[in-house]
Every structure is written in C-alpha cells, then in structure tokens.
Amino acid sequence: MTDKALQILNSTFGYSEFRQHQRDIIDQVISGKDAVVLMPTGGGKSLCYQIPAIAREGVGIIISPLIALMQDQVAALQQLGVNAAFLNSTLDEVTASNIEQQLLLGELDMLYVAPERLMTSRFLNLLERAPIALFAIDEAHCVSQWGHDFRPEYIQLSVLHEHFPHIPRIALTATADKPTRKEIIQRLALENAELFVSSFDRPNICYRITQNQGNARDELLRFILNEHEKDAGIVYCMSRKKVEQTAEWLNSKGLSALPYHAGLSAQIRQQHQHRFLTEDGLIIVATIAFGMGIDKPDVRFVAHLNLPKSIEAYYQETGRAGRDGLPSTAWMMYGLQDVIMLKQMMETSEADEAHKRVEHHKLQSMLGFTEITSCRRQALLKYFDDHLEEPCGNCDTCLTPVETWDATVVAQKALSCVYKTNQRFGVAYLIDVLLGKDMDRIRQFGHDQISVYGIGKELDKKQWSSIFRQLIARNLLSVDIEGHGNLRLTEECRPVLRGEQSLYLRKETKQAKSTQRGRKAYNTVKAGDSALWEALRICRKSLANEADVPPYVIFHDATLMEMVERQPQTRDQFSKLSGVGEKKLEAYAEQFLAVINDHINTSANPKSSSETVDETLQLFRAGMKADEIAAHRKLQVTTIYNHLSQCIEMGQLELQHVVDLSENEIIVIQKAFLNFANEGGKLKPIYDAFEGAFDYGTLQCVRASINIPI
Ligand code: ADP
Ligand code: ZN
C-alpha cells in the first residue's frame, strides 16, 4: 500500500520524496480513515487527497468553493495524465451529464464539485450509485462563521458522513488559528479524524514592513524595479479608488499592472484574473477581493499599501507569494494615517459588542506586529501557537536590526499634550502645539498659554508623527468614536505618564537604507544562463498557448530552474528533474531538450541572433525547406519558422515563397488575424478557428506579413 503512494508520487507527479506529514496523511486516507489537515499555503495539501484518490478504488470527490481553482487543478491533473474532471455552473448540460456518466461508471480518478451542487438530493442520489474513493473538503475553514470566507453550504457537508459512513473524508485548510480548527472538526463531524498540523512557517517568504514617510508609491515602484522587475506580483490597497490610481501609476512607469476590485464588471475581473494566470510578469493591483482561489505558484511578491485588519489576513494575503517554494517577498508600507483610519473604522463599525471586541483585539495584534523590533517570523508564528527557535534571518528586523531609544520623556510630552487639550484634537493639531506653532487656531483655544505649548521643539513633525503612530499602535492612545480622529488617553498610558514605566520606541531609519535583499528570486540564475532561462520560458509559453493552459501547468519555475542548473541532454537525464513525471516526459521532453541543446551548441559556438537567422536564410535561398533546415542545423522546426518569419517581416523573403498556400488562403488567414486583433496576434485562436488546417509555422509566417502588434 505504502509503495503504491510513493510510486504515484514518482511516476505521475515526478517528485522524489514526500514532504512533512504528506506520507502519514496519505496512508491514513488510503487505509480508509478520516483526516483533518492544517498546512500552510504551498505546503502541498493537494497531493494529500490526490494520491489516495488515484490509489483507491473509485472516484475521489473533491469539494472546492472556487470555480477558477477547480478548472486550474483539473487542467494540471490532466497534464499529468490523471483522469480528472469538474462539475460546476460553467458547464453546459451535455458536458455535465457526460461527466456524470463517467462518475457512475467509475471512469474518473477525481471529480471536483462545488458544495452547492454536491448537496442537491439529485447529486447525492447519483453519488449513492457511484463507486467513491474518498471525499476531500478543500478550504475547510469556509465552515467557520467567524472567518471571512464563510460559506453557508459548507455547514451542510456534515451530512456526507451520514450518507456515506464508510468513505474516508479529508478536510484541508491553510487557516491556522485554533477556534477555526475547532469549528471545522465540530461542524464537519470529524471528531474521530486524525489531526495533522504542519508548521506554518513559509521560510521562502521574506517579510518586510516599512513606515510610510509620505512617498509610498515611489517606494513601491523602487521596490519592484530593484527586486522584482518582470516578476508576477499582487499589490493590495484598501479602496477601489486607490487600486485604480496605483495601477495607472505603475503602468505610466512602464510596468504592466491591472486593477481588480468589486466595482469592476464580472467580465473584466475574470479577464484580468485570466491574464494574471497566463501571462508572465503581470502585476495585479487589488482590494482584498482578489486572491482566494488563485493558486498561481510563481507570484514573487505581495505588496501591501495599507494595513490588513488582522494578522490572519496578513498571513493569508502574503501567503499567496511563493507557493512554489522559491524566494519571494512580502512587502508592506504603512503609516500613521492607516492606523487612525483602521481604528476609526473599528470604532464606528456596526458589529455587535462581542464581534467588535474580537476585531479590536485582532487589529491591536496586527499593530503590535508592525511595530515589533524583534524577528517578524518568530512573532508571526507565535501568534499561531507555532514556534521558531532562532530569529529567522529573512525578515526586515533580522536583516537590518531596528535601533530603539528611550522615548519615555517624549511620550510623556505627547500624552500630556493630549490631556491638556482635553482629548479633543487630532494628531496634526497636537503636533503644532508641541512645536509651538504661531497659529490663530491655537490662540483661539488658548493653547499657546498651556504648559505643553512648544515643549517639543527638539523633534520635527515627521518624528512626532512616528511617535504618535507608535503610541496609538501600542494602545497608549485611542482614536475617538465620533470619527474626527481625535485622540484620547487609554488606561494603558497611565504608568508611562506617571513615570513608572519606561518606553522604548523604534528609531525610524531613512528608507534609502532599507534592505536590498531578496533581489530577484530566480535571478539566482547566473548571468550567462539567463539566455537559457529566457529560451525555456518562451518554449513553455508557446506550449502553454497550444494547450490553452497557464504556463506553470506545463512546468513550474522550479523545474525550469533545474533545467538551467543541470542542463540535461538526454531523456533519461530529463526524467530525473523534479516535476517531470511519465506523462510530461512523454509530452515535453523533446521540446525542452531541443532548447537546451540549442543553447549548449550556441554557447560553445556563439552566434549572434542575426547570424543564426542569416544562416537559415542562406539555406532557404539555397533551396532547403524549413524541416530540412531544422534537420541540417539540428534545431527545432519552430526555431526555423521563427527565423523565416523574421526574414519575411524584414522584407528579405516573400511570404508566397515560404509557405505552401494559395493566394486566397493567404488572404483568408490574414483576415482572421485582423478579426482576432484583440487577441494580440496569438496563434492559438487562429489555429483553432481553422480547426488545425494550417500549422503554427505557416500561421506565424502569415502573421509576419501583416502588421499585427504582438
Ligand atoms: P497547497 O494546496 O497546500 O497550497 P499545493 O498542493 O498547491 O499546496 O502544493 C504547492 C507546490 O508544492 C505545488 O507546486 C506542488 O506540486 C509542490 N509539491 C507538493 N508536494 C511536493 C513534494 N512531495 N515534492 C515536491 N513538490 C511538491
Ligand atoms: Zn526574522
């Protein structure tokens, strides 16, 4: 039994060994018992049900709330040669009933279904008649009424147990806190399931938090350009307006960014999400509405331009970076305004008292987290009752230790200023009083006569603003309920005011010194290898276009990286790469090996790209056909068509001489390109439109004869 699991891992998925807990979980489920699995994003949850589903008799039923995710997972499984399908509202009736037939006949390995469909009596009835291997309940935290992803249909999933008492169930989530865990077990009646809790550490994510000194956008741009140029990333903003503005600004600076928020039509959102998944190096600027159900493995950074409401939210959102395990960055910038705004939102929220207390506590923990001067990862893990022995060395406070200073006296000045002005003013006014500004407003209130007037001249406005931020974040000051931003003293400030407790605050550093670490995750690719890396990415992209799947479904970055490092030259060597199973070896080895061998040949005998195009041109003029040139030069036919289409574009060759088409056919194809102009000149839609009547090389040459912006 155990060997079967390992064999599936090796031959189907192409991985050599199990990760922490995977083996035990898989054994548990294969042997017919229940499991509850808590594992961080990117930890490898999917294999925990996919392998048992393949290994056990019958169809594995996977319940997933996210349609986009289902399609992705099914596409990825099909690429591995696994017989998987999904049933959801996007399918037409004929397709759906076809899949139901396959289910009844037990022809599928896995079937993904949305919970609302599963719970219909019709579908339950169908399941009664089908051979079932297991039930996997993905995103199981959706049963939690306290969580932000609550799905009422999930509650009903407890009946599965009553209908199918002998079929193993496995519930999985990346949400770590104990109350949620308890709810999952209770609501899904999984009291007898074994609980598997993995460490929630995401060691490949570098956590960085910096203070906003009024130039957040510039800092964001600098961060992206310095460390993540051409990388895929997500930028979170609080409001729709800020999303729009930020996306526009990034585009104006030459980056490719798309907005995503609930105010956009479903169609636009869908389109932007699709582009994010399928194109390389795109940035999505979004409100928190974006992200759940995106399991794009190569998101290299997540940037927050606003403060999340809780550590759970921060962990979940930053967790969308680096699922593939390669170095990634969680970058956040926040300032006094964020703190005030969130506090106000909380105070004015209409939730009942119990909820409010919970929310307040969560926000307070988040604020504490942003201000800490010790290792961020240790603090983060501690929040989830996890433990990290040593400081991590991969967060801002570890990389550039924060200096602290005894701020007891200045804190007392700030707090007295709040008190002496009757707790009726906001930060800007309080700072003016401390600085002893000559202003009518101050005189009107008689505040030029009080003892705190002008006692803060040793610091400037920025420094005071940082102090107020830290005092609010540490809950020594609170923000008024009326929503004017007035500050009030809290109980906690008393010992400091009375001088019974000293207070150490962060010394703010100039941002120019901020860390430059984490520079380019996969730019660990050596300079000389970047040409190969690019060539492999192009090859992957064109295969992905042909198969109409996102590039990472063909191979992950990690597998491409291994190709760069090891430069396999034979099928046997290729089969040893992590992520290459039998099916992918069959489907793709040849293409990628050709790219690698091309690279090895050209580096041994370097030729500039124009030289190699020239060589093809000479051979073509000498009367050779594209495939003959390919054979002669030991290059891919697609490479030769690339060369030829470049020559057509440059006017060095006539299209009619290169392709075997009638004049009429040429016109028809050219028209098709123009009709599909909004596809950016992609070949696949045209290929499909003619139902494969013209090969890609031919289409590429025709495209070169017209002016299509690609
Ligand atoms: P999760 O659902 O927990 O976020 P996934 O199941 O998507 O994570 O897995 C994250 C990544 O890790 C995927 O790319 C997956 O193929 C890879 N992975 C999972 N298990 C292993 C393993 N044993 N060896 C190598 N890679 C693995
Ligand atoms: Zn650290």
Side-chain angles (χ1 to χ4, degrees), residues 495-555:
V496 176
L497 250 185
R498 290 203 210 103
E500 292 160 10
Q501 185 186 318
S502 27
L503 185 69
Y504 282 82
L505 294 183
R506 296 178 145 248
K507 214 179 233 177
E508 252 33 295
T509 48
K510 289 259 177 325
Q511 264 142 22
K513 277 200 259 159
S514 72
T515 58
Q516 288 274 319
R517 255 214 42 157
R519 188 177 159 75
K520 304 226 172 159
Y522 49 64
N523 275 7
T524 40
V525 174
K526 286 188 249 69
D529 290 336
S530 65
L532 176 56
W533 169 254
E534 285 305 325
L536 291 169
R537 294 229 294 181
I538 291 169
C539 175
R540 175 175 68 175
K541 181 80 180 113
S542 78
L543 291 169
N545 284 353
E546 276 171 44
D548 199 21
V549 294
Y552 55 78
V553 169
I554 304 290
F555 283 126

Side-chain angles (χ1 to χ4, degrees), residues 220-221 224 235 246-255 257 283 285:
L220 173 69
L221 181 67
I224 297 175
V235 177
T246 308
E248 212 168 285
W249 146 266
L250 291 174
N251 283 320
S252 76
K253 297 292 169 190
L255 300 171
I283 299 166
V285 185

Side-chain angles (χ1 to χ4, degrees), residues 44-199:
K45 283 186 287 300
S46 330
L47 287 188
C48 297
Y49 55 81
Q50 288 171 345
I51 291 183
I54 298 171
R56 280 175 64 89
E57 272 304 293
V59 186
I61 306 291
I62 324 298
I63 298 126
S64 162
L66 306 153
I67 290 180
L69 198 105
M70 270 186 209
Q71 287 168 346
D72 249 34
Q73 292 236 3
V74 167
L77 285 165
Q78 287 172 346
Q79 283 288 318
L80 297 169
V82 177
N83 202 358
F86 62 81
L87 273 178
N88 64 33
S89 51
T90 64
L91 298 181
D92 59 71
E93 252 173 66
V94 179
T95 318
S97 87
N98 226 328
I99 291 172
E100 289 179 359
Q101 277 311 308
Q102 287 177 282
L103 165 66
L104 282 175
L105 295 172
E107 289 174 357
L108 297 167
D109 294 312
M110 260 169 268
L111 178 63
Y112 285 73
V113 261
E116 56 274 17
R117 175 180 289 253
L118 183 88
M119 297 320 298
T120 59
S121 52
R122 183 177 164 279
F123 196 77
L124 286 173
N125 192 282
L126 204 66
L127 288 180
E128 304 269 11
R129 290 180 288 138
I132 298 183
L134 57 87
F135 288 104
I137 302 161
D138 206 5
E139 313 287 352
H141 61 278
C142 291
V143 294
S144 162
Q145 281 173 320
W146 291 91
H148 29 35
D149 299 326
F150 177 55
R151 295 281 188 126
E153 317 87 57
Y154 259 68
I155 303 261
Q156 298 164 20
L157 293 177
S158 63
V159 309
L160 280 182
H161 169 56
E162 292 150 27
H163 280 265
F164 307 95
H166 301 300
I167 295 183
R169 293 174 302 150
I170 168 171
L172 312 100
T173 179
T175 301
D177 58 304
K178 278 200 176 137
T180 312
R181 186 187 313 178
K182 232 171 90 188
E183 264 189 289
I184 293 175
I185 293 171
Q186 255 172 20
R187 291 187 190 277
L188 296 178
L190 281 164
E191 285 85 359
N192 295 326
E194 185 147 348
L195 179 65
F196 297 90
V197 184
S198 298
S199 162

Side-chain angles (χ1 to χ4, degrees), residues 2 51 76 150 173 176 195 209 271 276 295 300 472 475-476 487 509 566 578 655 665 667 684:
T2 19
I51 291 183
F150 177 55
T173 179
L195 179 65
I209 300 180
Q271 196 185 335
F276 183 61
D295 72 350
R300 291 272 73 86
I472 300 169
N475 209 25
L476 300 190
L487 299 187
T509 48
R566 299 209 208 157
S578 174
L655 175 65
E665 286 173 312
I667 292 171
K684 162 102 173 123

Side-chain angles (χ1 to χ4, degrees), residues 207-364:
Y207 295 102
R208 306 229 308 263
I209 300 180
T210 32
Q211 278 70 40
N212 185 354
Q213 299 181 352
N215 53 351
R217 273 194 339 192
D218 294 313
E219 286 299 318
L220 173 69
L221 181 67
R222 181 143 62 145
F223 160 69
I224 297 175
L225 290 178
N226 277 346
E227 301 176 34
H228 289 289
E229 205 183 354
K230 293 197 194 157
D231 284 350
I234 306 175
V235 177
Y236 285 113
C237 302
M238 193 129 69
S239 68
R240 296 175 187 182
K241 196 166 139 214
K242 196 159 168 191
V243 163
E244 294 283 352
Q245 288 169 344
T246 308
E248 212 168 285
W249 146 266
L250 291 174
N251 283 320
S252 76
K253 297 292 169 190
L255 300 171
S256 302
L258 296 173
Y260 189 102
H261 56 71
L264 296 170
S265 72
Q267 194 196 355
I268 298 272
R269 273 182 293 164
Q270 169 64 26
Q271 196 185 335
H272 288 184
Q273 173 169 328
H274 183 74
R275 286 190 56 191
F276 183 61
L277 296 178
T278 50
E279 291 176 27
D280 279 329
L282 216 63
I283 299 166
I284 283 274
V285 185
T287 52
I288 47 166
F290 180 79
M292 195 181 169
I294 301 297
D295 72 350
K296 185 173 164 62
D298 53 358
V299 175
R300 291 272 73 86
F301 68 91
V302 169
H304 279 97
L305 282 181
N306 289 107
L307 199 62
K309 287 196 193 81
S310 64
I311 293 189
E312 285 92 337
Y314 174 78
Y315 179 80
Q316 195 178 51
E317 284 153 26
T318 55
R320 290 170 187 146
R323 273 170 179 264
D324 55 11
L326 297 179
S328 309
T329 319
W331 182 93
M332 180 166 106
M333 172 148 278
Y334 89 110
L336 177 62
Q337 281 316 314
D338 289 301
V339 180
I340 292 181
M341 196 152 95
L342 273 181
K343 284 243 171 176
Q344 256 171 5
M345 268 170 50
M346 214 123 280
E347 294 296 348
T348 51
S349 132
E350 305 206 327
D352 60 49
E353 277 309 310
H355 258 95
K356 246 179 166 166
R357 255 201 310 280
V358 174
E359 281 176 9
H360 199 267
H361 173 74
K362 289 189 169 182
L363 175 63
Q364 208 49 54

Side-chain angles (χ1 to χ4, degrees), residues 366-421:
M366 183 64 214
L367 289 172
F369 175 70
T370 58
E371 298 290 349
I372 55 162
T373 52
S374 55
C375 173
R376 300 241 189 243
R377 191 179 314 273
Q378 280 181 319
L380 196 58
L381 291 176
K382 183 154 171 252
Y383 184 81
F384 294 118
D385 287 322
D386 206 344
H387 180 70
L388 186 69
E389 205 65 48
E390 297 287 326
C392 75
N394 193 25
C395 72
D396 59 300
T397 47
C398 280
L399 292 166
T400 22
V402 186
E403 280 181 64
T404 56
W405 59 297
D406 185 346
T408 317
V409 176
V410 295
Q412 284 168 344
K413 288 181 180 177
L415 296 170
S416 327
C417 187
V418 173
Y419 182 70
K420 292 271 163 67
T421 54

